[in-house]
Amino acid sequence: MKRAGCLVLSFAAVACAVTAGVFSLSPGGGDRSDDAPARAGSSATAVPPGLTAPGKKDLAQQLVASAENSTLDWRGQYGYVEDIGDGQGYTAGIIGFCTGTHDLLTLVERYTADHPDNGLARYLPALRAVDGTDSHEGLDPGLPAAWRAEAKVAAFREAQDEERDRVYFDPAVRLARRDGLGTLGQFIYYDAMVMHGPGNGPSSFHGLRARAMKEADTPAEGGAEEAYLDIFLDVRRTLMTSQKAHRDTSRIDTAQRRFLHDGNLSLRTPLTWKVYGETYRVP
């Protein structure tokens, strides 16, 4: 998946060069009580809501949007579309669906199956042809305008929500619970799956998880939650610094790692964090 559509700079450089803006928005639903992570062998009815609680899920979208779109207004991103120069073609929508990574194609295919007369359907042949590349062939000049227009349709916004949950949010939370992780751990998995994709390769989410599990036991395996998450973030940070498009690791260094070192495993609000030198607050 993508990083934010902004210049790739080291966090230190941004911090020195930019006077940070401050953003503040309150999450829908508010904070929930602390949650104990699900452990192996616990009954399904005993699993706390964690990141799936309405307030926490909205908070998760704000955290992702701060890193992906430099805003907390994630609902304002349904019509977002641009090529950010990361080799994945056009990046669009609330979670950064990409023309080069199959998920944008799948979204439009599934949406078209239910709404065949939508304004993006005519681009399906071109989307299939450029899938896996950064090519715009057959997409320019009309795709960006068509995407923005379709994003005004409630059904397409709902389709984006559903595809985000089906491909990224639900699998990340499900796997995090299996590993015995609470709300923060579930978010850490989710953010990694959004950026790196849900694949099994060494630079995808499951490759990151496999490397982390070689170095530390998950809580479900009897390990300490904080220690395992620290290792997972180390592994992810190492990968990001090796990729030109992901070298700014502030979404880890001054956001997720900060929450972890504060012992905020349930993502209690208020929260303050920085991404790309900008400060965000959720009261």
Side-chain angles (χ1 to χ4, degrees):
M1 295 303 296
K2 73 177 185 74
R3 68 173 294 279
C6 60
L7 293 177
V8 180
L9 299 171
S10 71
F11 177 71
V14 174
C16 293
V18 178
T19 300
V22 178
F23 299 78
S24 180
L25 219 95
S26 62
D31 189 37
R32 297 299 181 96
S33 60
D34 292 358
D35 63 320
R39 303 298 186 210
S42 62
S43 68
T45 57
V47 175
L51 206 63
T52 64
K56 297 300 188 190
K57 186 172 184 179
D58 188 80
L59 175 60
Q61 307 318 312
Q62 293 182 61
L63 286 163
V64 169
S66 73
E68 296 288 311
N69 301 99
S70 297
T71 181
L72 297 183
D73 181 21
W74 67 269
R75 290 183 179 86
Q77 308 311 308
Y78 289 105
Y80 164 79
V81 54
E82 69 172 317
D83 188 330
I84 63 174
D86 62 352
Q88 297 174 345
Y90 279 116
T91 295
I94 56 167
I95 209 66
F97 304 103
C98 295
T99 56
T101 59
H102 196 66
D103 55 351
L104 190 147
L105 169 61
T106 301
L107 166 64
V108 176
E109 285 180 334
R110 291 169 66 89
Y111 178 60
T112 300
D114 293 329
H115 305 277
D117 296 328
N118 76 82
L120 294 169
R122 66 181 180 271
Y123 292 99
L124 277 172
L127 287 170
R128 293 185 182 109
V130 303
D131 190 27
T133 77
D134 63 355
S135 173
H136 290 194
E137 186 173 355
L139 304 179
D140 289 339
L143 177 69
W147 183 280
R148 287 189 287 268
E150 201 64 30
K152 298 176 182 178
V153 178
F156 186 53
R157 297 194 297 271
E158 293 170 5
Q160 289 192 43
D161 290 343
E162 291 170 1
E163 198 66 6
R164 172 203 63 202
D165 290 351
R166 185 183 73 86
V167 178
Y168 301 104
F169 186 83
D170 291 347
V173 171
R174 185 166 55 246
L175 195 55
R177 284 176 167 170
R178 185 186 306 169
D179 288 346
L181 301 175
T183 306
L184 175 59
Q186 292 166 27
F187 173 72
I188 286 174
Y189 271 22
Y190 174 49
D191 187 70
M193 196 171 286
V194 166
M195 172 176 274
H196 302 288
N200 294 312
S203 61
S204 297
F205 171 79
H206 290 286
L208 290 172
R209 176 174 172 264
R211 288 204 297 280
M213 291 178 71
K214 288 182 179 180
E215 297 187 35
D217 289 334
T218 67
E221 297 170 325
E225 186 170 13
E226 294 92 335
Y228 171 74
L229 290 175
D230 210 34
I231 291 294
F232 183 89
L233 292 177
D234 283 345
V235 169
R236 184 181 174 196
R237 191 179 190 282
T238 298
L239 172 63
M240 288 175 65
T241 57
S242 72
Q243 299 174 319
K244 183 178 180 180
H246 295 156
R247 286 178 184 166
D248 187 308
T249 58
S250 55
R251 68 198 292 161
I252 291 176
D253 302 334
T254 49
Q256 296 170 43
R257 186 91 72 181
R258 174 173 179 170
F259 306 150
L260 180 62
H261 288 179
D262 286 345
N264 191 358
L265 296 178
S266 60
L267 272 182
R268 295 182 306 276
T269 53
L271 285 179
T272 301
W273 69 97
K274 288 185 178 182
V275 184
Y276 311 130
E278 294 178 343
T279 298
Y280 298 87
R281 295 191 180 101
V282 171

